[in-house]
């Protein structure tokens, strides 16, 4: 009963956050009706071209997944990515359900549970590292390009905090987990005191140490593949965002596009709603507007971009999952 109540509360909160995001965009000066008109004039060539760029990005990202799980083919890595994303983009906090689905797939392909655990830790951590390092790069580019925008010091401070967190995660993956584990232990004690249960053992530190055990040898062997795969994926994601704005005849400087991409990728970490829907769009558009973009143009461009990186993953991922189930039954 309590679990069902939590699911209802999460769903209600997700709907409320999406509604708040829609109202917030209107307050920033964005016109939904005009944005939809801009999108309606795309024709068929632009969506087809954007779809090719989106799929190419996913194919390049398979290099990260195959490096994280030795013996995994690129075709199966693409299936894992699409099927897990489809579930995560439908259910509130659906990342857990997507991971459970991926576990069933991987075990069916002959990999062990321990191999899958290391695969999840390395691939997710490498994605996290990129999301934590890129804000500082984006702020640096904006400062060099003298791009207008307020609250620069606040953005710089947030970028430095993200960078420090990224360094801790990187060191942990390379076998130097002590600083990260101390931070986890401190968080565990703080949460216990907040609950007024000093004797409460949450097991966070032990769980983090167990997850990191053995990942350093894999990362040291495969860090080049992991890095190149992630860099290529980010480059194609940036190209997709830039082309999404070009398609609706909104032309933004590339430092602003980079800042929008970094904001969108970083906000996906707050996956309270399925895939961060609502919050990710509102936050990304707010960043673009703060950097001088037209509110309605920013809304239209981000909606086109998210139609591929979020919406399109649901039916395509569902198809990939159905094909996997069909192969499993015939096998």
């Amino acid at each position: 009963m309590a679990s069902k109540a939590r699911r209802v509360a999460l769903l209600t909160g997700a709907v409320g956050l999406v509604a708040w995001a829609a109202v917030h965009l209107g307050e920033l000066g964005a016109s939904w009706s005009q944005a939809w008109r801009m999108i309606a004039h795309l024709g068929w060539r632009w969506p087809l071209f954007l779809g090719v760029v989106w799929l190419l990005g996913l194919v390049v990202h398979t290099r990260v997944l195959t490096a994280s799980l030795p013996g995994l083919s690129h075709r199966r890595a693409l299936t894992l990515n699409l099927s897990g994303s489809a579930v995560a983009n439908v259910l509130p906090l659906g990342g857990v359900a997507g991971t459970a689905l991926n576990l069933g797939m991987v075990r069916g392909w002959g990999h062990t549970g321990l191999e899958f655990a290391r695969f999840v830790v390395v691939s997710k951590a490498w994605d996290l590292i990129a999301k934590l390092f890129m804000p500082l790069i984006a702020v640096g580019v904006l400062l060099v390009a003298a791009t207008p925008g307020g609250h620069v010091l606040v953005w710089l401070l947030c970028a430095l905090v993200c960078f420090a967190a990224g360094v801790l995660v990187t060191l942990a993956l390379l076998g130097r987990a002590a600083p990260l584990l101390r931070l986890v232990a401190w968080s565990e004690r703080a949460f216990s005191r907040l609950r007024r249960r000093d004797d409460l053992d949450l097991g966070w530190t032990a769980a983090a140490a167990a997850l990191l055990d053995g990942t350093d040898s894999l990362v040291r062997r495969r860090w080049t593949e992991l890095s190149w795969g992630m860099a290529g994926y980010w480059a194609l994601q940036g190209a997709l965002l830039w082309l999404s704005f070009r398609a609706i005849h909104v032309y933004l400087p590339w430092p602003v596009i980079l800042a929008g991409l970094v904001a969108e990728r970083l906000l996906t970490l707050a996956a309270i709603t399925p895939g961060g829907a609502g919050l990710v769009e509102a936050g990304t558009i707010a960043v673009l507007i703060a950097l001088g973009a037209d509110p309605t143009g920013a809304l239209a461009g981000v909606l086109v971009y998210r139609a591929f990186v979020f919406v399109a993953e649901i039916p395509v991922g569902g198809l990939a999952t159905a094909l996997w189930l069909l192969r499993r039954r015939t096998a």
Side-chain angles (χ1 to χ4, degrees):
M1 183 65 69
S3 178
K4 184 177 180 179
R6 283 195 296 268
R7 288 196 294 268
V8 172
L10 283 173
L11 181 60
T12 304
V15 173
L17 286 171
V18 172
W20 172 86
V23 174
H24 182 63
L25 291 176
E27 294 174 352
L28 292 175
S31 170
W32 283 90
S33 58
Q34 188 175 347
W36 287 121
R37 282 195 295 270
M38 295 171 70
I39 297 172
H41 288 88
L42 280 176
W44 63 270
R45 291 184 178 86
W46 269 112
L48 180 62
F49 181 51
L50 293 173
V52 171
V53 176
W54 167 65
L55 284 173
L56 183 59
L58 293 179
V59 170
V60 170
H61 188 262
T62 61
R63 192 172 185 181
V64 177
L65 303 183
T66 56
S68 303
L69 182 58
L72 182 69
S73 68
H74 288 275
R75 179 179 61 82
R76 288 176 172 176
L78 184 60
T79 301
L80 284 176
N81 194 352
L82 287 171
S83 59
S85 297
V87 175
N89 291 354
V90 171
L91 301 175
L93 300 177
V96 177
T99 302
L101 173 62
N102 287 167
L103 173 60
M105 291 179 169
V106 167
R107 290 179 70 91
W109 294 331
H111 298 277
T112 66
L114 178 59
E115 290 174 336
F116 178 75
R118 289 176 179 169
F119 161 76
V120 172
V121 171
V122 173
S123 60
K124 297 297 184 184
W126 216 256
D127 178 64
L128 176 63
I129 289 169
K131 291 177 179 179
L132 293 175
F133 279 170
M134 286 302 296
L136 186 59
I137 295 176
V139 172
V141 169
L142 289 172
L143 291 175
V144 172
T147 304
H151 310 294
V152 175
L153 291 178
V154 175
W155 291 2
L156 181 59
L157 179 60
C158 293
L160 288 172
V161 171
C162 290
F163 183 82
V167 170
L168 289 178
V169 177
T170 304
L171 290 175
L173 286 179
L174 292 174
R176 300 179 180 178
L180 179 62
L181 293 178
R182 281 196 293 269
L183 180 61
V184 173
W186 178 86
S187 302
E188 187 175 6
R189 289 194 299 270
F191 187 80
S192 299
R193 289 171 183 171
L194 185 64
R195 297 286 299 273
R196 297 180 181 179
R197 291 281 306 277
D198 292 339
D199 59 335
L200 182 62
D201 184 11
L202 299 172
W204 293 356
T205 307
L211 287 174
L212 292 169
D213 183 38
T215 60
D216 57 324
S217 59
L218 176 62
V219 171
R220 291 178 189 277
R221 292 197 313 268
R222 302 294 187 96
W223 71 270
T224 303
E225 298 174 55
L226 290 166
S227 301
W228 279 113
M230 190 60 68
Y233 176 66
W234 271 74
L236 286 165
Q237 291 288 91
L240 179 62
L241 181 60
W242 176 69
L243 290 169
S244 297
F245 280 99
R246 297 277 297 185
I248 58 172
H249 305 290
V250 174
Y251 306 99
L252 299 176
W254 73 267
V256 176
I257 292 291
L258 176 62
L261 175 66
V262 171
E264 190 270 342
R265 293 287 84 194
L266 189 61
L267 286 167
T268 56
L269 296 176
I272 302 173
T273 58
L279 292 177
V280 173
E281 291 81 4
T284 305
I285 293 167
V287 169
L288 293 173
I289 293 174
L291 294 173
D294 172 70
T296 301
L299 171 60
V302 170
L303 287 179
V304 172
Y305 173 77
R306 290 284 290 173
F308 290 95
V309 300
F310 173 71
V311 179
E313 288 184 348
I314 298 173
V316 177
L319 177 61
T321 306
L323 291 175
W324 169 74
L325 289 172
L326 180 61
R327 292 194 190 99
R328 185 180 182 183
R329 288 177 63 88
T330 56

